[in-house]
Coordinates of all heavy atoms in Angstrom, one line a residue:
M30 N 16.1 -0.8 18.5 CA 15.0 -0.2 17.9 C 14.3 0.7 18.9 O 14.1 0.4 20.1 CB 14.0 -1.3 17.4 CG 12.8 -0.8 16.8 SD 11.7 -2.0 16.0 CE 11.0 -2.8 17.4
R31 N 13.9 1.8 18.4 CA 13.2 2.9 19.2 C 12.0 3.2 18.4 O 11.9 3.2 17.2 CB 14.0 4.2 19.4 CG 15.3 4.0 20.1 CD 15.2 4.3 21.6 NE 14.4 5.3 22.0 CZ 14.7 6.5 22.4 NH1 16.0 6.9 22.2 NH2 13.8 7.4 22.7
Q32 N 10.9 3.5 19.2 CA 9.6 4.0 18.6 C 9.0 5.0 19.4 O 9.2 5.0 20.7 CB 8.7 2.8 18.3 CG 8.2 2.1 19.6 CD 7.2 0.9 19.2 OE1 6.8 0.9 18.1 NE2 6.9 0.1 20.2
K33 N 8.3 5.9 18.8 CA 7.5 6.9 19.5 C 6.3 7.3 18.7 O 6.3 7.3 17.5 CB 8.4 8.2 19.6 CG 7.8 9.3 20.5 CD 8.9 10.0 21.1 CE 8.2 10.9 22.2 NZ 9.1 11.5 23.1
I34 N 5.2 7.5 19.4 CA 3.9 7.9 18.8 C 3.7 9.4 19.0 O 4.0 10.0 20.0 CB 2.8 7.2 19.5 CG1 3.0 5.7 19.2 CG2 1.4 7.6 19.0 CD1 1.9 4.8 19.9
F35 N 3.3 10.0 17.9 CA 3.1 11.4 17.9 C 1.6 11.8 17.5 O 1.1 11.0 16.7 CB 4.0 12.1 16.8 CG 5.4 11.9 17.1 CD1 6.1 11.0 16.4 CD2 6.1 12.7 18.1 CE1 7.5 10.8 16.7 CE2 7.5 12.5 18.3 CZ 8.2 11.5 17.6
S36 N 1.1 12.9 18.0 CA -0.3 13.3 17.7 C -0.2 14.7 17.0 O 0.4 15.7 17.6 CB -1.1 13.4 19.0 OG -2.4 13.8 18.7
V37 N -0.8 14.8 15.8 CA -0.8 16.1 15.1 C -1.7 17.1 15.6 O -2.9 16.8 15.8 CB -1.1 15.8 13.5 CG1 -1.1 17.0 12.8 CG2 -0.1 14.7 13.0
K38 N -1.2 18.2 16.0 CA -2.0 19.3 16.5 C -2.2 20.4 15.5 O -3.1 21.2 15.6 CB -1.3 20.0 17.7 CG -1.0 19.0 18.8 CD -2.3 18.5 19.4 CE -1.9 17.5 20.5 NZ -3.0 16.5 20.8
S39 N -1.3 20.5 14.5 CA -1.4 21.6 13.5 C -2.7 21.5 12.7 O -3.2 20.4 12.3 CB -0.2 21.4 12.4 OG -0.5 22.3 11.3
E40 N -3.4 22.6 12.4 CA -4.6 22.7 11.6 C -4.4 22.1 10.3 O -5.3 21.5 9.7 CB -5.0 24.1 11.6 CG -5.6 24.7 12.8 CD -6.9 24.1 13.3 OE1 -7.6 23.7 12.5 OE2 -7.1 24.0 14.5
K41 N -3.2 22.3 9.7 CA -3.0 21.8 8.3 C -2.5 20.4 8.3 O -2.2 19.9 7.2 CB -2.0 22.7 7.7 CG -2.5 24.2 7.5 CD -1.5 25.1 6.9 CE -2.1 26.5 6.8 NZ -1.1 27.4 6.2
G42 N -2.2 19.7 9.4 CA -1.7 18.4 9.4 C -0.2 18.4 9.1 O 0.5 19.4 9.5
L43 N 0.3 17.4 8.6 CA 1.7 17.3 8.3 C 1.9 18.0 6.9 O 1.7 17.4 5.9 CB 2.2 15.8 8.2 CG 3.7 15.6 8.0 CD1 4.5 16.3 9.1 CD2 4.1 14.1 8.0
T44 N 2.4 19.2 6.9 CA 2.5 20.0 5.6 C 3.7 19.5 4.8 O 4.6 18.8 5.3 CB 2.7 21.4 6.0 OG1 3.9 21.6 6.7 CG2 1.4 21.9 6.8
S45 N 3.7 20.0 3.6 CA 4.9 19.7 2.7 C 6.2 20.3 3.3 O 7.2 19.7 3.3 CB 4.7 20.3 1.3 OG 4.4 21.6 1.3
R46 N 6.1 21.5 3.9 CA 7.3 22.1 4.5 C 7.8 21.2 5.7 O 9.0 21.0 5.8 CB 7.0 23.5 5.0 CG 8.2 24.2 5.5 CD 7.9 25.7 5.8 NE 7.6 26.3 4.5 CZ 7.2 27.6 4.3 NH1 7.0 28.3 5.4 NH2 6.9 28.0 3.2
A47 N 6.9 20.8 6.5 CA 7.3 20.0 7.6 C 7.8 18.6 7.2 O 8.8 18.1 7.7 CB 6.1 19.8 8.6
S48 N 7.2 18.1 6.2 CA 7.6 16.8 5.6 C 9.0 17.0 5.0 O 9.8 16.0 5.3 CB 6.7 16.4 4.5 OG 5.4 16.1 5.0
A49 N 9.3 18.0 4.3 CA 10.6 18.2 3.8 C 11.7 18.4 4.9 O 12.7 17.8 4.8 CB 10.6 19.5 2.9
A50 N 11.3 19.0 5.9 CA 12.3 19.2 7.1 C 12.5 17.9 7.8 O 13.6 17.5 8.1 CB 11.7 20.2 8.1
L51 N 11.5 17.0 7.9 CA 11.7 15.7 8.5 C 12.6 14.8 7.6 O 13.5 14.1 8.1 CB 10.3 15.0 8.6 CG 9.4 15.4 9.8 CD1 8.1 14.8 9.7 CD2 10.1 15.1 11.1
V52 N 12.3 14.8 6.3 CA 13.1 14.0 5.4 C 14.6 14.5 5.4 O 15.5 13.7 5.4 CB 12.5 14.0 4.0 CG1 13.4 13.4 3.0 CG2 11.2 13.3 4.0
S53 N 14.8 15.8 5.4 CA 16.1 16.3 5.4 C 16.8 15.9 6.6 O 18.1 15.5 6.6 CB 16.0 17.8 5.3 OG 17.3 18.4 5.4
E54 N 16.2 15.9 7.8 CA 16.8 15.5 9.0 C 17.0 14.0 9.0 O 18.1 13.5 9.4 CB 15.9 15.9 10.2 CG 16.6 15.6 11.6 CD 17.8 16.4 11.9 OE1 17.9 17.6 11.3 OE2 18.6 16.0 12.6
A55 N 16.1 13.2 8.5 CA 16.2 11.7 8.6 C 17.4 11.3 7.7 O 18.0 10.3 8.1 CB 14.9 11.1 8.0
N56 N 17.6 12.0 6.6 CA 18.8 11.6 5.8 C 20.1 11.9 6.3 O 21.1 11.5 5.7 CB 18.6 12.3 4.4 CG 17.6 11.5 3.5 OD1 17.9 10.4 3.2 ND2 16.5 12.1 3.2
K57 N 20.2 12.5 7.5 CA 21.4 12.7 8.2 C 21.9 11.4 9.0 O 23.1 11.4 9.5 CB 21.3 13.9 9.2 CG 21.1 15.2 8.5 CD 20.9 16.3 9.5 CE 20.6 17.6 8.8 NZ 20.4 18.6 9.8
Y58 N 21.0 10.4 9.1 CA 21.3 9.3 10.0 C 21.5 8.1 9.2 O 20.9 7.8 8.1 CB 20.3 9.2 11.0 CG 20.1 10.4 11.8 CD1 19.1 11.4 11.5 CD2 21.1 10.8 12.8 CE1 19.0 12.6 12.1 CE2 21.0 12.0 13.4 CZ 20.0 12.9 13.1 OH 19.9 14.1 13.8
K59 N 22.3 7.1 9.7 CA 22.5 5.8 9.1 C 21.4 4.8 9.4 O 21.2 3.9 8.6 CB 23.8 5.2 9.6 CG 25.0 6.0 9.1 CD 26.3 5.4 9.7 CE 27.5 6.3 9.3 NZ 28.7 5.8 9.9
C60 N 20.7 5.0 10.4 CA 19.6 4.1 10.9 C 18.4 4.1 9.9 O 18.3 5.1 9.2 CB 19.2 4.3 12.3 SG 18.4 5.9 12.5
E61 N 17.6 3.1 9.9 CA 16.4 3.1 9.2 C 15.3 3.9 10.0 O 15.3 3.8 11.2 CB 15.9 1.7 9.1 CG 16.7 0.8 8.2 CD 16.2 -0.6 8.2 OE1 15.0 -0.9 8.5 OE2 16.9 -1.5 7.7
L62 N 14.6 4.7 9.3 CA 13.5 5.5 9.9 C 12.2 5.2 9.2 O 12.2 5.5 8.0 CB 13.8 7.0 9.9 CG 14.9 7.4 10.8 CD1 16.2 7.8 10.0 CD2 14.5 8.6 11.6
T63 N 11.2 4.7 9.9 CA 9.9 4.4 9.2 C 8.8 5.1 9.9 O 8.8 5.1 11.1 CB 9.7 2.9 9.2 OG1 10.9 2.2 8.7 CG2 8.5 2.5 8.4
L64 N 7.9 5.6 9.2 CA 6.7 6.3 9.7 C 5.5 5.5 9.4 O 5.3 5.0 8.3 CB 6.6 7.7 9.0 CG 5.6 8.7 9.6 CD1 6.0 10.1 9.2 CD2 4.2 8.5 9.1
F65 N 4.7 5.2 10.4 CA 3.5 4.4 10.3 C 2.3 5.2 10.6 O 2.2 5.9 11.6 CB 3.5 3.2 11.3 CG 4.6 2.2 11.0 CD1 5.9 2.4 11.6 CD2 4.4 1.1 10.2 CE1 6.9 1.5 11.3 CE2 5.4 0.2 10.0 CZ 6.7 0.3 10.5
Y66 N 1.3 5.2 9.6 CA 0.1 5.9 9.8 C -1.1 5.1 9.2 O -1.0 4.6 8.1 CB 0.2 7.2 9.0 CG -1.1 8.0 9.0 CD1 -1.7 8.5 10.2 CD2 -1.7 8.3 7.8 CE1 -2.8 9.2 10.1 CE2 -2.9 9.1 7.7 CZ -3.4 9.5 8.9 OH -4.6 10.2 8.9
L67 N -2.1 4.8 10.1 CA -3.2 4.0 9.8 C -2.6 2.6 9.3 O -1.8 2.0 10.0 CB -4.1 4.6 8.7 CG -4.7 5.9 9.1 CD1 -5.5 6.4 8.0 CD2 -5.6 5.7 10.3
D68 N -2.9 2.1 8.2 CA -2.4 0.8 7.7 C -1.3 1.0 6.7 O -0.9 0.0 6.1 CB -3.6 0.0 7.0 CG -4.6 -0.4 8.0 OD1 -4.3 -0.6 9.2 OD2 -5.8 -0.5 7.6
D69 N -0.7 2.2 6.6 CA 0.4 2.4 5.7 C 1.7 2.7 6.4 O 1.7 3.1 7.6 CB 0.1 3.6 4.8 CG -1.1 3.4 3.8 OD1 -1.1 2.2 3.3 OD2 -1.9 4.2 3.7
E70 N 2.8 2.6 5.7 CA 4.1 3.0 6.3 C 4.9 3.7 5.2 O 4.6 3.5 4.0 CB 4.8 1.7 6.7 CG 5.2 0.8 5.7 CD 5.9 -0.4 6.4 OE1 5.3 -1.3 6.9 OE2 7.2 -0.5 6.2
A71 N 5.8 4.5 5.6 CA 6.7 5.3 4.7 C 8.1 5.3 5.2 O 8.3 5.4 6.4 CB 6.1 6.7 4.5
N72 N 9.0 5.2 4.2 CA 10.4 5.5 4.5 C 10.5 7.0 4.8 O 10.3 7.8 4.0 CB 11.2 5.0 3.3 CG 12.7 5.3 3.5 OD1 13.1 6.0 4.5 ND2 13.5 4.8 2.6
L73 N 11.0 7.3 6.0 CA 11.1 8.7 6.4 C 12.2 9.5 5.7 O 12.3 10.7 5.8 CB 11.3 8.8 7.9 CG 10.9 10.1 8.6 CD1 9.6 10.7 8.2 CD2 11.0 9.9 10.1
K74 N 13.0 8.8 4.9 CA 14.0 9.4 4.1 C 13.5 9.7 2.6 O 14.3 10.2 1.8 CB 15.3 8.5 4.0 CG 15.9 8.3 5.4 CD 17.1 7.4 5.4 CE 17.7 7.3 6.8 NZ 19.0 6.6 6.8
S75 N 12.2 9.5 2.3 CA 11.7 9.7 1.0 C 10.5 10.7 1.1 O 9.5 10.4 1.8 CB 11.2 8.4 0.5 OG 10.3 8.7 -0.7
I76 N 10.7 11.9 0.5 CA 9.7 12.9 0.6 C 8.4 12.4 0.0 O 7.2 12.6 0.5 CB 10.1 14.2 0.0 CG1 9.1 15.4 0.2 CG2 10.4 14.0 -1.5 CD1 9.0 15.8 1.6
M77 N 8.4 11.7 -1.1 CA 7.2 11.2 -1.8 C 6.5 10.1 -0.9 O 5.2 10.2 -0.8 CB 7.6 10.5 -3.2 CG 8.1 11.5 -4.1 SD 7.1 12.9 -4.4 CE 5.8 12.2 -5.3
N78 N 7.2 9.3 -0.2 CA 6.6 8.4 0.7 C 5.8 9.1 1.8 O 4.7 8.8 2.1 CB 7.6 7.5 1.4 CG 8.1 6.3 0.4 OD1 8.8 5.4 0.8 ND2 7.7 6.3 -0.8
V79 N 6.6 10.1 2.5 CA 5.9 10.8 3.6 C 4.7 11.6 3.1 O 3.7 11.6 3.8 CB 7.0 11.7 4.3 CG1 6.5 12.6 5.3 CG2 8.1 10.9 4.9
M80 N 4.8 12.4 2.1 CA 3.8 13.2 1.6 C 2.6 12.3 1.2 O 1.4 12.7 1.3 CB 4.2 14.0 0.4 CG 5.2 15.1 0.7 SD 4.6 16.5 1.6 CE 3.4 17.0 0.4
G81 N 2.9 11.2 0.7 CA 1.8 10.2 0.2 C 0.9 9.8 1.3 O -0.3 9.4 1.0
L82 N 1.3 9.9 2.5 CA 0.5 9.4 3.6 C -0.7 10.4 4.0 O -1.7 10.1 4.6 CB 1.3 9.2 4.9 CG 2.2 8.0 4.9 CD1 3.1 8.0 6.1 CD2 1.7 6.7 4.5
M83 N -0.5 11.7 3.6 CA -1.5 12.7 3.8 C -2.1 12.8 5.2 O -3.2 12.6 5.5 CB -2.6 12.6 2.8 CG -2.1 12.7 1.4 SD -3.3 12.5 0.0 CE -4.8 13.0 0.7
I84 N -1.1 13.0 6.2 CA -1.5 12.9 7.6 C -2.2 14.2 8.0 O -1.7 15.4 7.8 CB -0.3 12.7 8.4 CG1 0.4 11.4 8.1 CG2 -0.5 12.7 10.0 CD1 1.7 11.1 8.8
K85 N -3.4 14.1 8.6 CA -4.2 15.2 8.9 C -4.2 15.6 10.4 O -3.6 14.9 11.2 CB -5.7 14.9 8.6 CG -5.9 14.4 7.1 CD -5.7 15.5 6.2 CE -6.0 15.0 4.8 NZ -5.4 15.8 3.7
K86 N -4.8 16.7 10.7 CA -4.9 17.1 12.1 C -5.6 16.1 13.0 O -6.5 15.3 12.6 CB -5.8 18.4 12.3 CG -5.9 19.0 13.6 CD -6.7 20.2 13.7 CE -6.7 20.6 15.2 NZ -7.7 21.6 15.5
N87 N -5.2 16.0 14.2 CA -5.7 15.0 15.2 C -5.3 13.6 14.9 O -5.7 12.7 15.7 CB -7.2 15.2 15.4 CG -7.6 16.5 16.0 OD1 -6.8 17.1 16.8 ND2 -8.7 17.0 15.5
A88 N -4.5 13.4 13.9 CA -4.0 12.0 13.5 C -2.9 11.6 14.5 O -2.2 12.5 15.0 CB -3.6 11.9 12.1
E89 N -2.7 10.3 14.7 CA -1.6 9.8 15.4 C -0.8 9.0 14.4 O -1.3 8.2 13.6 CB -2.0 9.0 16.6 CG -2.5 9.8 17.8 CD -2.7 8.9 19.0 OE1 -2.7 7.6 18.9 OE2 -2.8 9.5 20.1
F90 N 0.5 9.1 14.5 CA 1.4 8.3 13.7 C 2.5 7.9 14.6 O 2.9 8.5 15.6 CB 1.9 9.0 12.5 CG 2.7 10.3 12.7 CD1 4.1 10.2 12.8 CD2 2.1 11.5 12.9 CE1 4.8 11.4 13.0 CE2 2.8 12.7 13.1 CZ 4.2 12.6 13.1
K91 N 3.3 6.9 14.1 CA 4.4 6.3 14.9 C 5.6 6.3 14.0 O 5.6 6.1 12.8 CB 4.1 4.8 15.3 CG 5.1 4.1 16.0 CD 4.8 2.7 16.6 CE 4.1 1.9 15.6 NZ 3.8 0.6 16.1
V92 N 6.8 6.6 14.7 CA 8.1 6.6 14.0 C 8.9 5.5 14.7 O 9.0 5.5 15.9 CB 8.8 8.0 14.1 CG1 10.2 7.9 13.5 CG2 8.0 9.0 13.3
I93 N 9.5 4.7 13.9 CA 10.4 3.6 14.4 C 11.7 3.9 13.8 O 11.9 4.1 12.6 CB 9.8 2.3 14.1 CG1 8.5 2.0 14.8 CG2 10.9 1.2 14.5 CD1 7.9 0.6 14.6
T94 N 12.8 3.8 14.7 CA 14.1 3.9 14.2 C 14.8 2.7 14.6 O 14.5 2.1 15.5 CB 14.9 5.1 14.9 OG1 14.9 4.9 16.3 CG2 14.3 6.5 14.5
N95 N 15.7 2.3 13.7 CA 16.4 1.0 13.9 C 17.9 1.1 13.3 O 18.0 1.2 12.1 CB 15.7 -0.2 13.2 CG 16.2 -1.5 13.6 OD1 17.0 -1.6 14.6 ND2 15.9 -2.5 12.9
G96 N 18.8 1.1 14.1 CA 20.2 1.2 13.7 C 21.2 1.8 14.6 O 20.7 2.2 15.8
V97 N 22.3 2.2 14.2 CA 23.4 2.6 15.1 C 23.1 3.9 15.8 O 23.5 4.1 16.9 CB 24.8 2.6 14.3 CG1 25.3 1.3 13.9 CG2 24.7 3.5 13.2
D98 N 22.5 4.9 15.1 CA 22.3 6.2 15.6 C 20.8 6.5 15.8 O 20.3 7.6 15.8 CB 22.9 7.2 14.7 CG 22.5 7.1 13.3 OD1 21.7 6.2 12.9 OD2 23.0 7.9 12.4
E99 N 20.1 5.4 16.2 CA 18.6 5.5 16.4 C 18.2 6.4 17.5 O 17.1 7.1 17.4 CB 18.0 4.1 16.5 CG 18.4 3.5 17.8 CD 18.0 2.0 17.9 OE1 17.8 1.3 16.9 OE2 17.9 1.5 19.1
D100 N 18.9 6.5 18.6 CA 18.5 7.3 19.7 C 18.6 8.8 19.4 O 17.5 9.5 19.6 CB 19.5 7.1 20.9 CG 19.3 5.7 21.5 OD1 18.2 5.1 21.4 OD2 20.3 5.2 22.0
I101 N 19.6 9.3 18.8 CA 19.7 10.7 18.4 C 18.7 11.0 17.3 O 18.1 12.1 17.2 CB 21.1 11.1 18.1 CG1 21.1 12.6 17.9 CG2 21.6 10.4 16.8 CD1 20.9 13.4 19.1
A102 N 18.5 10.0 16.4 CA 17.6 10.3 15.2 C 16.2 10.5 15.7 O 15.5 11.5 15.3 CB 17.6 9.1 14.3
I103 N 15.6 9.7 16.7 CA 14.2 9.8 17.1 C 14.1 11.2 17.9 O 13.1 11.8 17.8 CB 13.8 8.6 17.9 CG1 12.2 8.6 18.0 CG2 14.3 8.5 19.3 CD1 11.5 7.7 17.1
E104 N 15.2 11.5 18.6 CA 15.1 12.8 19.4 C 15.0 14.0 18.4 O 14.3 14.9 18.6 CB 16.3 12.9 20.3 CG 16.3 11.9 21.5 CD 17.6 11.9 22.3 OE1 18.4 12.9 22.2 OE2 17.8 11.0 23.0
R105 N 15.8 13.9 17.4 CA 15.8 15.1 16.4 C 14.6 15.1 15.6 O 14.2 16.2 15.3 CB 17.0 14.9 15.5 CG 18.4 15.2 16.2 CD 18.5 16.7 16.6 NE 18.3 17.6 15.5 CZ 17.7 18.7 15.5 NH1 17.2 19.2 16.7 NH2 17.6 19.5 14.5
I106 N 14.0 14.0 15.3 CA 12.7 14.0 14.6 C 11.7 14.6 15.4 O 10.9 15.4 14.9 CB 12.3 12.5 14.2 CG1 13.3 12.0 13.1 CG2 10.9 12.4 13.7 CD1 13.3 12.7 11.8
E107 N 11.6 14.3 16.7 CA 10.7 14.9 17.6 C 10.9 16.4 17.6 O 9.9 17.2 17.6 CB 10.7 14.3 19.0 CG 9.8 15.0 20.0 CD 9.7 14.2 21.3 OE1 10.6 13.4 21.6 OE2 8.7 14.5 22.0
T108 N 12.1 16.9 17.7 CA 12.5 18.3 17.8 C 12.0 19.0 16.4 O 11.4 20.1 16.5 CB 14.0 18.5 17.9 OG1 14.4 17.9 19.1 CG2 14.3 20.0 17.8
I109 N 12.2 18.4 15.3 CA 11.7 19.0 14.0 C 10.2 19.1 14.0 O 9.6 20.1 13.6 CB 12.2 18.1 12.8 CG1 13.7 18.1 12.7 CG2 11.5 18.5 11.5 CD1 14.3 19.4 12.4
L110 N 9.5 18.1 14.5 CA 8.1 18.1 14.6 C 7.6 19.2 15.5 O 6.6 19.9 15.2 CB 7.5 16.8 15.1 CG 7.6 15.6 14.0 CD1 7.3 14.3 14.7 CD2 6.6 15.8 12.9
K111 N 8.3 19.5 16.6 CA 7.9 20.6 17.5 C 8.2 21.9 16.8 O 7.4 22.8 16.9 CB 8.6 20.4 18.8 CG 8.1 19.3 19.7 CD 8.9 19.2 20.9 CE 8.4 18.1 21.8 NZ 9.1 17.9 23.0
D112 N 9.4 22.0 16.3 CA 9.8 23.2 15.6 C 9.0 23.7 14.5 O 8.7 24.9 14.2 CB 11.3 23.1 15.1 CG 12.3 23.1 16.3 OD1 11.9 23.3 17.4 OD2 13.5 22.8 15.9
T113 N 8.4 22.7 13.7 CA 7.5 23.0 12.6 C 6.1 23.1 13.0 O 5.2 23.2 12.2 CB 7.7 22.0 11.5 OG1 7.5 20.7 12.0 CG2 9.0 22.1 10.9
R114 N 5.9 23.0 14.3 CA 4.5 23.1 15.0 C 3.5 22.0 14.5 O 2.3 22.3 14.5 CB 4.0 24.5 14.8 CG 4.9 25.5 15.5 CD 4.3 26.8 15.4 NE 5.3 27.7 16.1 CZ 5.1 29.0 16.2 NH1 4.1 29.6 15.7 NH2 6.1 29.7 16.7
V115 N 4.0 20.9 14.2 CA 3.2 19.7 13.8 C 2.6 19.1 15.0 O 1.4 18.8 15.1 CB 3.9 18.7 12.9 CG1 3.0 17.5 12.7 CG2 4.3 19.3 11.6
I116 N 3.4 19.0 16.0 CA 2.9 18.4 17.3 C 3.0 19.4 18.5 O 3.6 20.4 18.3 CB 3.8 17.1 17.7 CG1 5.2 17.5 17.9 CG2 3.7 16.1 16.6 CD1 6.0 16.4 18.6

């Protein structure tokens, strides 16, 4: 199991475009990917789950990966967050 905490720097928070990019990337991996925000959690492979969290600017959230390809998955998720300028 791997976990990482991210802080949102984008003025718009976690946008629908960034969410779609995250979900698309997450679905490439066999491991479980879960996003935790406040008291909620979302399956990172579900766009509705991720969008439902409505993560705003300056918020912190955690991603936990668990499974065979968890190391590369968490690294790629971080890359997507940087590329979409969320973090």
Side-chain angles (χ1 to χ4, degrees):
M30 181 172 70
R31 298 268 320 262
Q32 66 179 347
K33 190 149 191 171
I34 296 173
F35 300 100
S36 181
V37 177
K38 302 294 182 209
S39 169
E40 289 292 327
K41 296 179 181 178
L43 185 59
T44 63
S45 57
R46 184 172 296 175
S48 296
L51 283 174
V52 170
S53 177
E54 187 65 30
N56 278 295
K57 295 178 181 177
Y58 304 100
K59 294 178 183 177
C60 66
E61 293 177 17
L62 290 107
T63 309
L64 191 155
F65 293 87
Y66 175 61
L67 300 176
D68 292 331
D69 292 320
E70 64 181 79
N72 177 348
L73 200 48
K74 295 181 179 184
S75 166
I76 189 70
M77 296 306 289
N78 283 184
V79 174
M80 294 285 301
L82 294 178
M83 298 174 36
I84 300 174
K85 306 291 184 204
K86 181 182 179 189
N87 297 324
E89 285 191 345
F90 63 92
K91 177 170 51 175
V92 173
I93 294 181
T94 59
N95 190 17
V97 294
D98 49 4
E99 64 189 28
D100 292 328
I101 189 68
I103 196 106
E104 290 173 16
R105 288 295 302 145
I106 291 300
E107 182 173 13
T108 300
I109 296 295
L110 288 167
K111 287 179 181 177
D112 290 350
T113 56
R114 299 183 181 177
V115 173
I116 60 170

